[in-house]
Amino acid sequence: MSVDLPSLLVGSYTATGGGNATGISIVDDGVARTVAVLDDPSFLAVSGDRVYAVSETNDGGVSAFRLQGGALEHLWDAASGGDAPCHVRVDPSGALVVTNYVSGTVTAISLAAAESYSASVLASDGVVLQGSGASGSGASGSGVHGDADRLDVPARAVAVEVLPDASGPVVDRQESPHAHQSVATPDGTVLVADLGGDALHEFRVAVSPDGVPTIEPLRVHHVAPGVGPRHLAWFDGDLFVAGELDGAVHRLRRDASGSFVVVATTPTFEGDVGESLLSHIEVDDAGLVYVAVRGRDLIVVLDAADGGLSLVGAASCGGVWPRHFARVPGYVLVANEQSDAVAVLPLGEDGVPGDAVEQIPVGTPTCIVPL
């Protein structure tokens, strides 16, 4: 069955992280091709014609590209401010916010300063400065680039904040802070999920008129020990937290003091958690909550429309180890990391996915962005 889908950008693990891809892929008409050679581009963000990718390596990096005509043109690079960056997002402040999992750090990169620096260097003499970090091989100006092709933005365009030292009861996963994802809040602040410290850290991110970013810590919102908050989503003013380590989705609401309190918690499966690890979470406009469960290889659907959180149903993710997914009209597209494929799942009338109608071969997929 051939499914009419938009073009997709797919991030993956490469050989550096034990994966089978060579970098960032673009999928057109069910066929994937590499458009940027980059070590472990495990998460992507798209804003207009700009594509931002982390390089989830020990010495992490971020790379920016221009998307044009189905190709990626390399623009600039920056240090991620920590080890193993696993998420990147364009913030309304004008900063690119990066979370570094292993080091437990949050980084803000001034996009205006990065773009200005890149344009000035390339316009002056076309010389691209040498640096360290994301690697590959090829020529500057294309999506394929190596150390000699790096254009590193100045340090003044990058701000780094270290999460407070904390740990949790899951000893092998919560020995220290692990920044996993950031989201903007309706209040103009930024929340960062700390899987290691069982906390949500709230910051104010700003960029000065001369392009200098700042990260101001505001408060820490604690969740129950052992939750392991991974990804976050908003609906109807409430925050939904995927607990990677406790197998549950938690609905949080601000109280009069501004603190987040839990108003509902729902397990996504029955039985012991074991090696069942929640990954990505999204909520649609009708209040249906979608969350992926690795280990059990499920897409679970919950209903949040009535102010609570109830289970609607669950379905196979169409592969093994659903790391991430994206919703497009009529379908859920699942990046099944250990299946080397993106599964195309049709949505039923109740919002629960059906069996996969197509498998799109992509090496070790970890992130999907519809274009």
Side-chain angles (χ1 to χ4, degrees), residues 40-141:
D40 293 339
S42 64
F43 207 89
L44 312 174
V46 177
S47 179
D49 66 350
R50 295 299 195 261
V51 176
Y52 306 100
V54 301
S55 185
E56 193 181 334
T57 59
N58 289 335
D59 184 13
V62 183
S63 296
F65 304 87
R66 177 185 291 113
L67 176 63
Q68 192 169 22
L72 289 183
E73 176 191 3
H74 173 230
L75 297 176
W76 52 264
D77 306 281
S80 72
D83 301 331
C86 59
H87 187 266
V88 60
R89 182 182 58 84
V90 178
D91 190 69
S93 65
L96 194 67
V97 178
V98 184
T99 46
N100 297 280
Y101 180 82
V102 170
S103 56
T105 53
V106 183
T107 300
I109 302 167
S110 168
L111 289 174
E115 290 277 333
S116 175
Y117 180 69
S118 172
S120 66
V121 171
L122 295 176
S124 60
D125 55 13
V127 174
V128 179
L129 305 182
Q130 199 167 7
S132 61
S135 63
S137 61
S140 173

Side-chain angles (χ1 to χ4, degrees), residues 118 207 286 308 339 360:
S118 172
V207 179
S339 297
I360 302 172

